Amino acid sequence: MELTPPAIIPGSKIPHKDANILRERVSRLLGLRSLNFPGAQPVSFAKKHLQTVKEHDYYVCEKSDGIRCLMYMTMHHATPKRYAVYLIDRKNDYYLVPKVWFPTTNDPNDSRLHTETLIDGELVMDSIQGKSQLKFLVFDCLACNGRLYTNRPLDRRLGVYREFVEKPLRTLVKAKPKVLAVMPFHVEFKLMQRAHGIEMMFREIIPKLHHGSDGLIFTCIETPYVTGTDETLLKWKSRESNTVDFLLELRFTAKLDTGDIDYSAMPEMPLSIWEGGKRYSYFADLYLENEEWEKLKESNTPLQGRIVECYLDEQNRWRFMRFRDDKQNGNHRSTVRSVIESIEDGVTKEELLHEAYYIRKSYYERKERREARHHDNPETHSVREASKEPAASGAEKRKLTPESEESTKRARAAD
């Protein structure tokens, strides 16, 4: 069950010493004391979280099988007067990406560009009619032109991105199509739905994707952006998508009539987990059907000592999914333990779909209560109205919501 290879980060990797200059900038921008990766990290969706998404407002989107990155717009680390865009991966490595521009205004002739802007997203490789297209899918905004938004709710953060980053970029591309032609990737907003749109995600959105997807992400609308592990950011995967990366060994025990080792017969295939350093320990055996073994042999590639991604089937057997030659080590024991716990306490697709009605019901009950409070106290103003930030017109407010026009129509139909 070989999956589409993940996207590759474009540009050039910045040496560690120079990257520290950028890490310090990002740390200051976000008000952090650490130079670690500043992105939020989800927790696995457990049974208790069914109640969580009923009690709080959430957006749901598909979990792309891509490369998680933050995009940082700033001035060049070595040439202060030169504009630069960097991608930051989960290893906290920085990549300088050429030929990417993010204007600050809707005037395509205005040369002013975004600086100290940080957005969260994922690189994916779309495959359409045999052609590949690298895309950066945006799903959050931490800072915009030096102004920090991590303490704002999600819908406000997304609104800032769509109004002040996405809209000027669209205007530029429309006026100067050649800009898009030279950019190393397209930038798109990731399609989101209210949490009760789970059925729509499974039925309509995921089947039409042009890239791999291995689950769902539930993001709380009410809470601020959290660097590091965010207990409100929920990652749902099906049982077969909860995978572990093991070190694979082959032990040939079958012998020919001559007494020689029969290297064509299926060997024992112990899987080992990483203990840190160069230490591994046995964990389980890989289960292969004869047909799968024959297919691996036909590939005529070395198997011994490779990292393999595996999933646990309904019979509790570890099954081969794909090779992970992009990884130096398998998963650490602590990661394996977390995956096993997620499988044991996981929520099935059927359970999610069953709960969608109750999630929707709870959402509209909360909405009615909020509207009633606002009606009783009409002088209550929104955060945007009370702040000095630019207010949005009715048309603009519609554009600021995370659903596209098409998805909004679908949501109304579902309601």
Side-chain angles (χ1 to χ4, degrees), residues 1 3 44 63 65 214 235 237-246 308-312 318-322 324 327 331-332 335-340 342-343:
M1 174 167 26
L3 301 181
S44 294
K63 182 181 178 297
D65 186 18
D214 58 0
K235 173 183 64 177
K237 285 186 173 186
S238 62
R239 180 184 177 93
E240 61 271 16
S241 295
N242 272 293
T243 61
V244 173
D245 298 329
F246 294 106
V308 291
E309 184 175 356
C310 302
Y311 68 95
L312 197 63
W318 288 102
R319 308 293 298 271
F320 173 78
M321 178 174 279
R322 60 176 169 177
R324 293 304 304 264
K327 302 193 71 172
N331 287 143
H332 190 269
T335 302
V336 177
R337 186 186 306 117
S338 176
V339 172
I340 298 300
S342 178
I343 293 173

Side-chain angles (χ1 to χ4, degrees), residues 221-235:
I221 301 173
E222 308 162 3
T223 54
Y225 188 96
V226 175
T227 292
T229 301
D230 181 355
E231 297 293 337
T232 71
L233 183 60
L234 310 175
K235 173 183 64 177

Side-chain angles (χ1 to χ4, degrees), residues 25 28 33 105 107 135 138 197 202 216 227 245 256 345 361 371 384 402 412:
R25 281 191 206 171
R28 286 195 300 270
R33 295 181 179 179
T105 72
D107 181 357
K135 291 184 178 180
V138 178
F202 284 125
L216 301 173
T227 292
D245 298 329
L256 299 168
D345 191 37
K361 183 174 181 289
E371 290 174 350
R384 181 183 290 110
R412 288 173 179 166

Side-chain angles (χ1 to χ4, degrees), residues 90-145:
R90 281 186 294 188
K91 297 178 182 177
N92 209 23
D93 289 328
Y94 282 65
Y95 293 79
L96 176 62
V97 185
K99 299 179 181 179
V100 182
W101 304 273
F102 287 91
T104 58
T105 72
N106 292 319
D107 181 357
N109 296 314
D110 192 333
S111 61
R112 287 176 293 177
L113 299 170
H114 271 275
T115 57
E116 301 315 300
T117 294
L118 187 64
I119 57 179
D120 201 350
E122 191 158 23
L123 277 173
V124 300
M125 185 66 78
D126 270 11
S127 180
I128 305 174
Q129 296 181 345
K131 295 183 179 180
S132 297
Q133 175 60 59
L134 189 63
K135 291 184 178 180
F136 186 82
L137 304 181
V138 178
F139 50 70
D140 215 323
C141 177
L142 287 71
C144 183
N145 273 332

